[in-house]
């Protein structure tokens, strides 16, 4: 539900004259640089304490959802 709301608030609306709800509320255009395609390849950082010297610094994953901060 959070992801749907996040995406709707960053999508243009005809009612708002092709502005986004986020843009109307804050006065600034939203950044779309952090959006990703669902089920695409993603890489998670492995913390230093959980790896040895020769282990990879990241682990390959599949992107499935956004974590709202």
């Amino acid at each position: 539900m959070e992801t749907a709301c996040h995406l709707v608030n960053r999508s243009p609306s005809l009612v708002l004259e092709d502005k986004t709800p986020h843009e109307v509320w804050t006065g600034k255009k939203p950044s779309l640089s952090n959006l990703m395609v669902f089920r695409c390849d993603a890489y998670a950082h492995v913390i230093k304490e959980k790896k040895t010297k020769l282990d990879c610094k990241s682990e390959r994953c599949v992107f499935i959802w956004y974590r709202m901060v």
Side-chain angles (χ1 to χ4, degrees):
M1 206 60 187
E2 287 179 11
T3 301
C5 184
H6 183 78
L7 295 174
V8 167
N9 284 332
R10 281 148 181 80
S11 301
S13 171
L14 291 175
V15 176
L16 299 174
E17 300 172 359
D18 285 332
K19 292 185 179 181
T20 66
H22 182 271
E23 186 177 359
V24 172
W25 182 262
T26 64
K28 298 184 285 184
K29 286 193 177 263
S31 172
L32 303 177
S33 63
N34 62 341
L35 295 181
M36 295 175 60
V37 177
F38 289 100
R39 310 245 341 130
C40 69
D41 290 341
Y43 293 87
H45 178 72
V46 178
I47 59 173
K48 192 182 241 183
E49 292 79 22
K50 297 219 177 199
K51 62 182 177 181
T52 63
K53 184 175 182 177
L54 299 176
D55 286 342
C56 294
K57 294 182 179 182
S58 62
E59 183 177 335
R60 187 167 179 244
C61 307
V62 175
F63 176 73
I64 57 171
W65 67 289
Y66 285 97
R67 179 174 175 227
M68 303 303 161
V69 179

